[in-house]
Amino acid sequence: MSHQIAIESEASLILGVLDRRTDPETQTILSSLDPESFLQVEHRSIWAAFQAIAEGGGIIDAWVLSRTLGKLKAPKSAQELANRYFLDLETQFQTGDLKARVDAVAEAYKRRTLANAMARLAERAFSDDLKTLEVDFQEVAGKMAQAGTPRMRSATDYARQFEAFLSGQPILPPEGRINLSRFGIPGIDGAIVANPGRLMVIGGLPSAGKTAMAIQAAVRTCQEGRRVALGSLEMDEDEISARMVATACGVDSLHALRRGVDASPENRAILEQVRRNIVGIHGFSGDSWTSLEAAIHREHRKSPLSLVVVDYLQLLEAPEIKGRRDTNEAQRIGEITKSAKRLAQRLRCNVLMLSQFNREVQEGQEPSLQHFLGSGQIERDIDIALLLWNTEKNPTGDRRTVMCRIAKNRGGARFGKVRLSFNPAHNLFTEDIRDTDGFTPPPVGRWEEQAELGGGL
């Protein structure tokens, strides 16, 4: 590959990154190549600036890029070329897969690396120690293998964690000790460990109250002063808002939706607090997880999110396999849960997804993790699993009893069963303390209190 073609490939990749700089997958692309992979010096400087901005959680724009290039003491020619690329974006329509552009740059780099290494090793083949030559050859092979492959996070020596322990402090930093999500149900809030980076799933048959519980979690979390993104592929804005009003204000959701309800000053204050802390992201069944994830990233950049709710898992198309016909349900759902787990860890928030059960579960029967529709990967990826089921086969009436099993709770106690009273009209779950099946949950906030004292982990 000629040098001119290599430079054109590099320019195409940089333009593609600028064009898709808000795409959540762009950060992975940026970790795929080191600056030394680029032939042109200016491209190396621009790529190093891209990586510095991404690692700092910033957004790549002309002003931020210019400032970062200055901090990196990049040559003036790199700044001039970056300005030209931003102008080119206004006149050129960028299409194509960024991964293919990464591969083109990586291939050119591998060829240059191999050619240079062969020339150097040939000169030293009969003069240097054979062991030294083997080590040098392995180093070259390692560089070639890494080019174009996303990096893991940088290594850590665990010094901070050990020093915290030795000084009698909790290993988790303060922001990692609290539950980011609230359900308003002591038996659940006091038991789950919903600290940053957790993927949670609520499973249940239709009519078990999955969406109601997710909306209740969104409302209660907002009332704690934390920001929530609620993504729905099943209900429109009006129906979701009516349910939130019912949960927050204790009114009938159908009346709020179709007839109107007189709002007290107290209700106005409550809803204003919820409104300030929640954002809705609505789509349609069959939308791609990639588009939903991009919207979540955009909202997180505006103001950090503590909780992301997705209603519901089986309605989404997977990010990498959309349109392919040779994939099954389990593979599709597995791709989504893996991506959702990465999202939770990257944004340091909780992601709460709803999931259907398979047909093996009967109404009124207690489910297990194996009953998730498209199970397998869901069980492996999630940190917290709440399983809901009605105690009666055909529940009727204004209130009904719903059981909740904490089937998975990474870092905390599990297998606890909480009896709930569900009021569908008010979209509200409350704890029924008559019977918890032998499970005595700690009071709400207990886990955080223990964590502050250095225990409860």
Side-chain angles (χ1 to χ4, degrees):
M1 183 182 292
S2 71
H3 283 189
Q4 183 58 37
I5 294 175
I7 291 173
E8 289 174 358
S9 297
E10 294 171 5
S12 175
L13 174 58
I14 289 173
L15 278 168
V17 168
L18 290 175
D19 188 49
R20 295 174 56 180
R21 54 189 181 273
T22 60
D23 192 319
E25 292 300 318
T26 300
Q27 186 164 359
T28 302
I29 291 295
L30 291 174
S31 72
S32 300
L33 295 169
D34 290 328
E36 69 175 20
S37 304
F38 292 79
L39 175 62
Q40 188 167 329
V41 174
E42 291 80 4
H43 288 162
R44 293 182 181 183
S45 298
I46 293 172
W47 196 259
F50 283 171
Q51 291 181 330
I53 294 169
E55 288 172 3
I59 303 172
I60 299 172
D61 59 29
W63 182 80
V64 172
L65 181 58
S66 175
R67 187 179 63 174
T68 307
L69 286 169
K71 288 182 178 179
L72 295 176
K73 295 181 170 34
K76 185 178 178 181
S77 56
Q79 179 62 72
E80 293 171 348
L81 186 58
N83 292 340
R84 197 181 80 197
Y85 284 149
F86 272 106
L87 291 174
D88 288 345
L89 280 180
E90 299 177 4
T91 58
Q92 297 182 23
F93 181 68
Q94 292 295 311
T95 59
D97 182 14
L98 279 187
K99 183 61 170 62
R101 302 184 192 193
V102 168
D103 291 342
V105 174
E107 180 184 341
Y109 168 71
K110 290 177 181 180
R111 289 182 181 276
R112 291 196 307 274
T113 301
L114 183 60
N116 294 335
M118 290 176 67
R120 291 196 306 271
L121 291 174
E123 293 177 359
R124 299 159 47 200
F126 297 100
S127 58
D128 288 9
D129 178 68
L130 183 59
K131 192 69 176 176
T132 301
L133 293 173
E134 289 177 349
V135 170
D136 290 348
F137 182 78
Q138 289 172 359
E139 182 180 349
V140 171
K143 285 185 176 182
M144 292 178 63
Q146 183 60 62
T149 304
R151 302 289 198 279
M152 295 286 286
R153 289 189 300 172
S154 58
T156 178
D157 60 3
Y158 299 106
R160 181 193 66 76
Q161 290 83 354
F162 292 168
E163 288 172 4
F165 168 76
L166 293 173
S167 63
Q169 299 297 315
I171 289 178
L172 281 175
E175 66 274 11
R177 301 174 207 163
I178 61 173
N179 279 355
L180 294 183
S181 308
R182 290 288 188 192
F183 288 86
I185 302 168
I188 296 176
D189 289 333
I192 64 172
V193 183
N195 52 319
R198 298 285 164 150
L199 174 60
M200 303 185 286
V201 172
I202 298 176
L205 290 172
S207 81
K210 301 185 299 297
T211 300
M213 180 170 279
I215 291 175
Q216 180 166 325
V219 169
R220 296 295 183 245
T221 302
C222 286
Q223 290 179 294
E224 292 282 328
R226 300 191 180 105
R227 194 157 183 262
V228 176
L230 199 162
S232 177
L233 284 80
E234 189 173 37
M235 297 183 185
D236 62 20
E237 296 91 332
D238 294 334
E239 188 172 358
I240 289 287
S241 63
R243 288 193 173 210
M244 287 193 291
V245 165
T247 301
C249 302
V251 300
D252 189 299
S253 60
L254 188 60
H255 288 185
L257 185 64
R258 296 188 174 181
R259 303 179 191 174
V261 178
D262 290 335
S264 67
E266 181 183 1
N267 287 342
R268 290 180 183 276
I270 292 172
L271 290 179
E272 178 59 24
Q273 184 181 34
V274 175
R275 186 194 65 79
R276 286 198 307 267
N277 291 310
I278 199 163
V279 59
I281 303 172
H282 291 267
F284 301 95
S285 177
D287 280 354
S288 170
W289 164 260
T290 302
S291 60
L292 176 60
E293 187 177 21
I296 292 167
H297 272 270
R298 286 195 298 271
E299 292 302 326
H300 185 74
R301 283 193 292 268
K302 294 177 184 177
S303 181
L305 297 166
S306 291
L307 173 64
V308 173
V309 177
V310 179
D311 183 15
Y312 61 89
L313 177 57
Q314 281 78 18
L315 293 179
L316 283 164
E317 281 292 344
E320 283 86 13
I321 59 179
K322 182 176 174 63
R324 283 175 46 185
R325 298 181 179 179
D326 58 341
T327 55
N328 57 38
E329 183 82 351
Q331 289 174 315
R332 181 175 66 83
I333 291 175
E335 289 296 325
I336 297 170
T337 55
K338 283 189 290 186
S339 296
K341 178 68 172 179
R342 287 196 299 267
L343 177 71
Q345 293 173 333
R346 188 180 300 155
L347 301 188
R348 302 296 294 159
C349 69
N350 290 168
V351 174
L352 172 61
M353 309 188 87
L354 308 189
S355 176
Q356 296 279 16
F357 286 148
N358 57 38
R359 295 181 180 179
E360 295 177 7
V361 184
Q362 302 296 320
E363 188 70 66
Q365 172 190 349
E366 179 175 346
S368 67
L369 287 174
Q370 289 73 32
H371 289 132
F372 278 125
L373 187 59
S375 181
Q377 194 67 40
I378 297 180
E379 300 172 47
R380 291 188 287 272
D381 291 333
I382 59 178
D383 300 295
I384 298 169
L386 304 178
L387 309 183
L388 303 179
W389 71 98
N390 291 306
T391 57
E392 302 175 15
K393 288 192 175 182
N394 296 298
T396 59
D398 296 337
R399 288 182 176 271
R400 63 174 184 261
T401 299
V402 176
M403 299 301 297
C404 176
R405 168 76 76 180
I406 303 175
K408 189 171 183 180
N409 186 21
R410 197 182 302 278
R414 59 175 177 166
F415 304 122
K417 193 185 295 184
V418 184
R419 181 185 292 272
L420 304 172
S421 178
F422 178 41
N423 183 335
H426 288 185
N427 198 87
L428 188 64
F429 281 93
T430 54
E431 188 167 353
D432 185 342
I433 61 173
R434 290 176 299 164
D435 178 21
T436 57
D437 196 36
F439 174 61
T440 305
V444 62
R446 177 70 178 276
W447 186 84
E448 289 91 333
E449 293 171 6
Q450 291 177 338
E452 292 294 336
L453 296 173
L457 297 178

